[in-house]
Amino acid sequence: MVLQEGNCSTHSCNKKDQSALLIFKHDVVDPSNYLSSWSNEHDCCAWKGVQCDNVTGRVTILDLNNQYLEGEINLSLLQIQFLTFLNLSCNSFTGLSLRNSNYQSLVKSSNAYANFSSLKYLDLSFNEDLQLDNLKWLSHLSSLQWLNLSAINLESEINWLQTMAMHPSLLELRLSMCQLNNVSPSVKFVNFTSLVTLDLSHNNFYSNLPHWLFNISSDISHIDLSSNGLRGQIPKSLLNLRKLKSLRLDDNGLMGPIPDWLGKHEHLQHLNLSENRFNGSFPSSLGNLSSLTQLGVSSDSLSGNLSNSIGQLFNLRSLYIGGSLSGVLSKKHFCKLFNLESLVLLSAFSFDLDPNWIPPFQLQEIALRNTNLGPTFPEWLYTQRTLETLDVSSSGISSINSDRFWSFLASVRAIRLSKNKISADLSNVTLNSEYITMNHNNFTGGLPLISTNVYYLDLSHNFLSGPISHLLCYKLGREMNTLYYLDVSHNLLTGVIPDCGENCRDLAFLKIYNNKLGGEIPPSVDWLNELNGIDLHKNNLSGNSLDISNFKSLEYFNLGENNFSGVVPTKIPKSIQGMILRGNHFTGNIPAELCSFPSLRLLDLSQNKLSGSIPSCIFKYSFLDGARTRKYHPQFSFELLLGGREVEFQGDWLFGILDLSTNNLSGEIPPELFDLTQLFALNLSRNHLVGKISSNIGGMKSLEILDLSNNHLSGEIPAAISNASFLSLFNLSYNYFTGEIPSGGQLLTFTSWSYVGNLKLCGPPLLTHNCSEEVVNHDEAQQGGSNDSLNDSLYIGMGVGYVTGLGGVLYSLLLNGTWRHKYFRFLDNILDWLYVFVALKLNKLRELRASSR
């Protein structure tokens, strides 16, 4: 609730009220100077946010909602005797204060309830840094009717329910996103005699639905328990709440069938059961809820068809059905949905609708993702003249009426056509929507024109060709375009990056990778001051003096797999977090200047021609805050080649990654690298590095990828490496390590492939190289040399013969599909073992020959 400022009081402010307000102000940090009028020079009834009774002059309302206030909330405010309304929501307060307040003494006195009996409305919500360990101070606000503490940390408050039950006048209670973890599911009764609205959504209860909820003596009408990890079934005692109008149980783990008796809740207007684990069929009784305006149901365990009784809900405005339901939808499913505004169907439905069918509704939102809508874009969608959002991605559409289709979409604000098989030439198309995703289709021709409305555009994974200048440089009208996100990657685009960056000053994310662009990066890209991420990898771009220091907001860039040359660039902005230059022709040393970028957490210089040693200061300042990750933009993903496979990273977080593989680096691995406890991936393979692995590697608890293969490293593998418990890719092959392979922890999951080519390693998983066999003197090795050579030849011959024989069997198996799939799995394991066996025997042969010289 937000009240307008205004005060018609004819009396001056009460001195006690004014004193309490000034005590409160003393503990407030006010960066926007909103409370500048709060001084003794002005009557407090004229202060911003304050309203007084126009007869008595007593303060009755204090509304400081969303004024960027910080500091502590002094409970002196609760000494204002006639204060009925207090709203401090959407600020940045961090705690409560009793400084210079008489509150503690008042609550101990017999007159405490009299002093605090007036406050009816209290809103402290969305002070997200505010943590309250207990709520006992609320128990003396006996007249409280509306309480909102949403998005305040109440994790430590385990008796919140008992405190709230001490307010018999409470009408509305909102404790959403409070990190509560105890809903007291076994308690039978709670004294909420007046409660109408209860919002406990987005907490951490992870229990069954509480018994007390269904025994509330009040005429409760709104319940929101969404996103709480609730489990179990919906109890039939829900029927006790006869006046229930809104029930939200979505995003939980509720199981069992959706109760058929839910259809008896005749007053229900809003029912959301989506994102649960319900099984069984969709109950047809939900079609009896004629008062419903919003309905949401989804579960991956539901089966069968959607009941056509849903078409009888003539008051319905929003319908959301998802999960594993299937079947065919006909006009009976929609026949009386006259008021429908939002239709979201995310299951594998098919449609049996007459091509000339005219729906009874005019929708604002349509989402038919993952349905079987195609192959032709349906005619009935063209009848929707008020549409703002259209999502038909992954719906099997391959054919459109181009003239009608593009003119229809021009008035839709957000369109999602991705992951279909739509074939159309975009050369003469002008796109006008604000948000557009058309990726993973079969679009051809040149890039389309875009209007100044377009904010987000994804045309990736198509067959578009020609230059990119047509899209970026052409202006429709006098206004600059407002494009914020552009992805045209995985196409057939040619030419150069155009020199018209001044037309795209708002561009923050640019992805043109995996095309055929050539030339150098033009100087006009300096206009892109808002650019946050750029990905141009897998093109034919070139240049030998990269300078991107003018991109003041740049956090991530990927220029990998191009033809850039010269030295590794150091003229980059201090804001940089990720830098990928792999697969180019950079030469020289790794510049020590890279150590000075405090946010750098991803550095990929692999597959270049770099030489010299690895600077010991790499990432020295990147992890000083001790945090494993840094906030990153979810709409920007990137790919890395790690362990011979391409790994896509996508989401809100950026991990510590260092890849210097496939260069000409030499010297020892700096021991400082093994002190980077927040590192996620380290790849130094295919270089000329020497020395030992530091035992500090055991402290790299976040390490998931480690590849040091194909170097000249030596010494024993430190036993502490087994402490890296998250390792999923591990390769030390083809070095000069000696001694027994450490065991334990995640190391037990790796095969001999991780160690092959280290002639003096022994122990599991090198089953053919037992450590006890290593105690063989040099003379014995020489005497047995010729025999071992003969044995090696025999082993190799047997191996080749075995593979040849397998080839004949394999050919015959091609005729039987069932045998073929089983046998291929078996064969894959045999070939892995055979390769390692032969490789180890060859290495033994070379070792014996070398020792006999």
Side-chain angles (χ1 to χ4, degrees), residues 264-376:
K264 297 180 180 180
H265 267 288
E266 58 185 19
H267 300 294
L268 209 55
Q269 298 175 5
H270 182 181
L271 175 62
N272 196 338
L273 304 176
S274 60
E275 305 300 327
N276 276 287
R277 299 168 62 187
F278 296 119
N279 54 35
S281 59
F282 185 94
S284 59
S285 64
L286 295 186
N288 300 330
L289 299 174
S290 57
S291 298
L292 270 187
T293 61
Q294 293 179 297
L295 174 61
V297 176
S298 70
S299 169
D300 288 337
S301 300
L302 288 174
S303 58
N305 301 331
L306 179 65
S307 171
N308 59 21
S309 66
I310 211 79
Q312 303 300 311
L313 300 175
F314 54 86
N315 283 311
L316 203 63
R317 295 182 180 274
S318 173
L319 176 62
Y320 176 99
I321 305 292
S324 55
L325 290 172
S326 58
V328 179
L329 304 184
S330 67
K331 64 180 182 180
K332 289 183 179 180
H333 290 86
F334 308 104
C335 60
K336 292 186 179 180
L337 304 184
F338 309 115
N339 295 299
L340 197 65
E341 297 174 353
S342 173
L343 175 63
V344 179
L345 303 175
L346 307 181
S347 293
F349 296 121
S350 298
F351 297 84
D352 182 17
L353 298 170
D354 189 283
N356 298 317
W357 177 62
I358 298 178
F361 44 70
Q362 281 294 318
L363 299 175
Q364 296 178 10
E365 177 188 18
I366 298 176
L368 303 176
R369 186 168 67 251
N370 299 322
T371 62
N372 299 308
L373 192 63
T376 303

Side-chain angles (χ1 to χ4, degrees), residues 676-823:
L676 298 176
T677 58
Q678 311 301 325
L679 208 58
F680 166 80
L682 176 62
N683 189 354
L684 305 178
S685 64
R686 300 186 183 277
N687 281 289
H688 307 290
L689 300 171
V690 298
K692 299 180 179 181
I693 298 177
S694 169
S695 59
N696 289 353
I697 195 171
M700 302 177 76
K701 299 297 178 61
S702 302
L703 197 63
E704 294 189 24
I705 296 172
L706 176 64
D707 191 348
L708 304 178
S709 63
N710 289 278
N711 278 289
H712 305 296
L713 301 172
S714 58
E716 294 187 350
I717 301 173
I721 202 169
S722 61
N723 295 333
S725 55
F726 291 102
L727 275 178
S728 61
L729 193 154
F730 176 61
N731 193 354
L732 300 181
S733 63
Y734 297 102
N735 278 286
Y736 296 96
F737 292 116
T738 59
E740 186 172 3
I741 296 173
S743 60
Q746 195 68 7
L747 295 183
L748 295 174
T749 65
F750 299 110
T751 68
S752 53
W753 287 103
S754 298
Y755 308 99
V756 69
N758 290 279
L759 305 181
K760 297 184 179 181
L761 276 181
C762 61
L766 297 177
L767 298 178
T768 58
H769 207 176
N770 196 301
C771 288
S772 60
E773 296 176 356
E774 292 299 301
V775 197
V776 179
N777 62 51
H778 182 73
D779 293 335
E780 289 176 335
Q782 279 192 319
Q783 287 176 358
S786 59
N787 289 333
D788 283 345
S789 299
L790 289 172
N791 287 337
D792 287 326
S793 301
L794 176 61
Y795 290 138
I796 295 167
M798 288 173 60
V800 172
Y802 188 65
V803 172
T804 305
L806 276 174
V809 177
L810 207 147
Y811 178 78
S812 63
L813 285 172
L814 292 176
L815 301 178
N816 187 313
T818 305
W819 292 1
R820 181 170 67 249
H821 292 299
K822 292 181 179 178
Y823 199 76

